[in-house]
Amino acid sequence: MDIIVTPSAVEIIQLALAPIFLIVGIGNLVNVATGRVSRIIDRARWYVNLAREEPERINEKAILEIQALNKRMRLANWSINFLIASAVVTCFNVLLVMVNGLISANLDITIIITFMMCMVLLTGGLIAFFLEVSLATATLKIRVVDISQFKKD
């Protein structure tokens, strides 16, 4: 039995490849965001151990950092949720592109709408990621200023 790939089948696969590359990019962003979450968790656990062993060291600055860690965790979680939703919608988009090429129904509007949804979700994920990184940077700047006060002249 010979398998014959028609030009239209090749075109369908070519059309489906662009969103698949988008899924790969989103996967890389999720990987970066989950790495940041693990660092936030490590720092929070450090504070939990510190509070258990030396509760007197949990001062106002430590409480401010713990609050910042909570905000960062929420933002990173939102980022991951948006990015994963974007990847799922992109998968549906690939399926729709392939179904559109195989049947005679016109799914062009549905394909465009799902792609737009993917972009909206991706944008949400990137905004949440940007806010988390900005908050982390602002927290770091506060710590650098605090450290510089203890410099010996």
Side-chain angles (χ1 to χ4, degrees), residues 9 12-13 16 20 93-103 111:
I12 293 169
I13 293 169
I20 290 171
N93 190 268
V94 170
L95 289 171
L96 287 171
V97 166
M98 298 193 100
V99 168
N100 193 45
L102 295 174
I103 62 174
I111 291 169

Side-chain angles (χ1 to χ4, degrees), residues 28-38 76 79-80 83 129 132:
N28 287 329
L29 288 169
V30 170
N31 189 30
V32 170
T34 55
R36 294 188 68 82
V37 166
S38 68
S79 176
I80 292 168
L83 292 170
F129 182 75
E132 189 275 325

Side-chain angles (χ1 to χ4, degrees), residues 20-94:
I20 290 171
F21 284 118
L22 179 61
I23 292 170
V24 171
I26 293 170
N28 287 329
L29 288 169
V30 170
N31 189 30
V32 170
T34 55
R36 294 188 68 82
V37 166
S38 68
R39 289 177 153 254
I40 294 167
I41 290 170
D42 289 343
R43 186 69 175 164
R45 285 183 181 155
W46 183 83
Y47 273 113
V48 167
N49 289 335
L50 182 66
R52 212 177 280 136
E53 296 169 6
E54 302 176 54
E56 67 278 359
R57 288 188 56 196
I58 303 296
N59 57 17
E60 188 177 319
K61 289 179 185 176
I63 291 170
L64 287 174
E65 186 174 351
I66 292 167
Q67 291 171 341
L69 288 171
N70 283 331
K71 288 177 187 174
R72 288 180 58 199
M73 180 63 84
R74 260 193 318 257
L75 288 168
N77 191 30
W78 275 103
S79 176
I80 292 168
N81 288 336
F82 275 123
L83 292 170
I84 295 296
S86 177
V88 169
V89 172
T90 305
C91 289
F92 283 125
N93 190 268
V94 170

Side-chain angles (χ1 to χ4, degrees), residues 43 65 72 136 138-148:
R43 186 69 175 164
E65 186 174 351
R72 288 180 58 199
T139 305
L140 179 64
K141 284 180 185 175
I142 291 170
R143 269 194 253 138
V144 169
V145 169
D146 291 343
I147 292 169
S148 68

